[in-house]
Amino acid sequence: FLHKQQIKQQTNMKLKIYLLLSVLCFQATCLASTDNEEKTTNRISWEGAISGDAWRTEFSYHYMLSPYYGFGGSIGRIQGLEDFSGGDGWLVDEDSQRPSHLYLAPSIHFDLPSIVKIGKIGIGLYAEPGLMLTIPHERINYEDHSMPYPKREDRHMSSNGGNWAFFNVKAGLNIHVHKNLCFTVGYNFSTFDINTTRRTMKYNNKSIEPLLPAKENLHEITVSLVGYF
């Protein structure tokens, strides 16, 4: 019953996201067809993000087909905030306690016109649906305590398993301080699981997944510095 409820909630969330994207695409197309403003074709940004489970930083580039939408992507790194110490008979090395991943993120970016102006500062909305593509490989170094001291050994476990493609969507406020410069504050939702590769690892032929935090979607607060040229 709980599983059915979760599937229903996920389906409703996807429908809401698709509806939002359809509205954004329609509005951006209408705006582009009537736009007479000076156009900029390149958008670059540096973004930092934080959630309860991880921090993330990325650099992105989008080619803007109009002032209101464009295509591009990002390259970034995400690292967990929770330490994983290991299990019965083995202790994870300090440099392996927090999972870390590099990723690529192709996306579509939407910028809507300013809805509020305070002097020369304009405040508008943005949205950015896309994918998060990771390298499905990770290694954990650990000390095996199953043997009495001093016969303990340094070992490692690794895996190329787990999911590698995840859906994510960003949305928030554009704060334009200049025609070629703005700041953003927003929210990012992603199906990304920072322990996806670790869930496929085994110690003594037993999965370590029961020792890991439960799988949850990623919810982040984001800030970024954006330039247009």
Side-chain angles (χ1 to χ4, degrees):
F1 176 74
L2 290 175
H3 182 62
K4 289 182 178 180
Q5 268 194 331
Q6 289 176 343
I7 293 175
K8 185 177 180 180
Q9 289 174 352
Q10 291 176 354
T11 302
N12 290 337
M13 174 66 74
K14 289 180 180 178
L15 288 173
K16 290 177 182 179
I17 291 172
Y18 293 149
L19 179 60
L20 172 63
L21 296 181
S22 299
V23 172
L24 287 170
C25 288
F26 176 75
Q27 186 168 356
T29 303
C30 293
L31 290 168
S33 64
T34 59
D35 178 61
N36 293 317
E37 296 179 7
E38 180 183 353
K39 291 181 173 58
T40 55
T41 57
N42 302 284
R43 180 187 187 275
I44 59 172
S45 73
W46 174 84
E47 179 179 87
I50 189 75
S51 70
D53 303 318
W55 63 265
R56 180 176 58 81
T57 184
E58 71 175 34
F59 175 81
S60 68
Y61 169 81
H62 289 85
Y63 180 78
M64 303 300 289
L65 300 177
S66 89
Y68 306 111
Y69 66 93
F71 299 87
S74 313
I75 181 170
R77 177 177 179 239
I78 184 167
Q79 180 165 324
L81 295 174
E82 295 185 25
D83 290 335
F84 173 57
S85 59
D88 186 22
W90 56 288
L91 183 66
V92 175
D93 290 355
E94 186 176 351
D95 60 356
S96 297
Q97 289 183 354
R98 297 185 178 187
S100 178
H101 296 273
L102 296 176
Y103 65 87
L104 296 175
S107 58
I108 306 172
H109 184 85
F110 297 95
D111 273 336
L112 298 183
S114 297
I115 54 177
V116 175
K117 286 202 172 185
I118 305 173
K120 294 183 178 181
I121 298 175
I123 301 175
L125 301 175
Y126 77 89
E128 191 176 302
L131 296 175
M132 198 170 178
L133 310 176
T134 65
I135 300 172
H137 176 78
E138 193 173 358
R139 169 174 166 154
I140 294 179
N141 299 313
Y142 67 92
E143 187 178 71
D144 193 342
H145 288 193
S146 60
M147 298 291 289
Y149 184 83
K151 294 182 179 180
R152 294 174 180 174
E153 297 180 359
D154 290 330
R155 297 184 178 182
H156 75 271
M157 63 180 78
S158 62
S159 176
N160 296 320
N163 295 329
W164 58 274
F166 306 89
F167 173 76
N168 69 282
V169 60
K170 304 175 185 178
L173 296 177
N174 278 326
I175 304 170
H176 292 272
V177 295
H178 185 271
K179 68 177 182 179
N180 299 115
L181 181 67
C182 83
F183 298 92
T184 74
V185 178
Y187 164 78
N188 179 48
F189 167 82
S190 176
T191 58
F192 177 74
D193 173 21
I194 198 165
N195 287 300
T196 181
T197 306
R198 296 188 172 201
R199 297 186 193 284
T200 65
M201 294 183 183
K202 294 182 178 181
Y203 172 76
N204 283 348
N205 294 320
K206 292 184 179 180
S207 173
I208 70 169
E209 183 171 7
L211 304 175
L212 299 171
K215 181 180 177 181
E216 295 182 353
N217 292 325
L218 189 65
H219 302 272
E220 296 178 316
I221 300 299
T222 67
V223 293
S224 66
L225 174 64
V226 182
Y228 297 88
F229 62 96

